[in-house]
Amino acid sequence: METILQRLTELDEVSGVILVGKDGLIVSGTLHSEDEEMIGALSATAFGSLSTYSKQINQGEIRHAIIETQQGTIQMAEVGDLILVVTTQQTRSPNLGRVRLEMKKACRQILPLVTSQ
């Protein structure tokens, strides 16, 4: 699983990747900072709120969320009972489509690993 997440960090725009449970506990990550646990907990809360919101407005289950900030983006995707969180830095020409494509690929690779346990 670490290898899959590490591949995401090799993209120029990507500044960090974590895989977090919907309860906010970190499963794996590349941030290696004191803030990793806080970011994991907040990401789970934000994803849960967005999921509730999408259901309330009759748009169904959330698959992927992109939050744009002044410094970059936070992208979140559901992987079974987990959430893949990828942060990016603002660059001159960020390729967010490529980041999303690589996230989908990572989700497909991670899903069998987490559902077989």
Side-chain angles (χ1 to χ4, degrees):
M1 196 169 318
E2 293 286 331
T3 306
I4 297 167
L5 299 183
Q6 190 61 40
R7 269 189 248 131
L8 282 168
T9 63
E10 292 171 3
L11 298 173
D12 290 339
E13 299 89 352
V14 173
S15 55
V17 178
I18 56 174
L19 191 60
V20 61
K22 291 183 180 175
D23 58 0
L25 296 176
I26 301 291
V27 174
S28 184
T30 65
L31 295 179
H32 305 297
S33 76
E34 295 173 9
D35 295 335
E36 191 173 66
E37 287 185 23
M38 178 197 60
I39 292 168
L42 291 173
S43 296
T45 300
F47 194 84
S49 294
L50 290 169
S51 182
T52 300
Y53 170 71
S54 69
K55 290 176 192 171
Q56 289 292 321
I57 62 169
N58 298 317
Q59 292 296 309
E61 299 288 328
I62 191 169
R63 294 184 185 160
H64 191 96
I66 301 174
I67 301 168
E68 293 184 22
T69 70
Q70 289 177 334
Q71 282 82 31
T73 65
I74 303 159
Q75 296 195 41
M76 297 181 277
E78 189 173 47
V79 189
D81 289 335
L82 304 175
I83 304 162
L84 178 62
V85 181
V86 177
T87 57
T88 65
Q89 296 177 357
Q90 189 65 34
T91 61
R92 264 190 270 157
S93 56
N95 191 340
L96 299 180
R98 180 168 182 221
V99 173
R100 183 172 182 187
L101 184 66
E102 292 298 326
M103 284 180 71
K104 283 185 174 186
K105 182 178 173 182
C107 288
R108 283 193 305 270
Q109 294 171 336
I110 293 169
L111 191 59
L113 299 174
V114 297
T115 55
S116 65
Q117 296 176 352

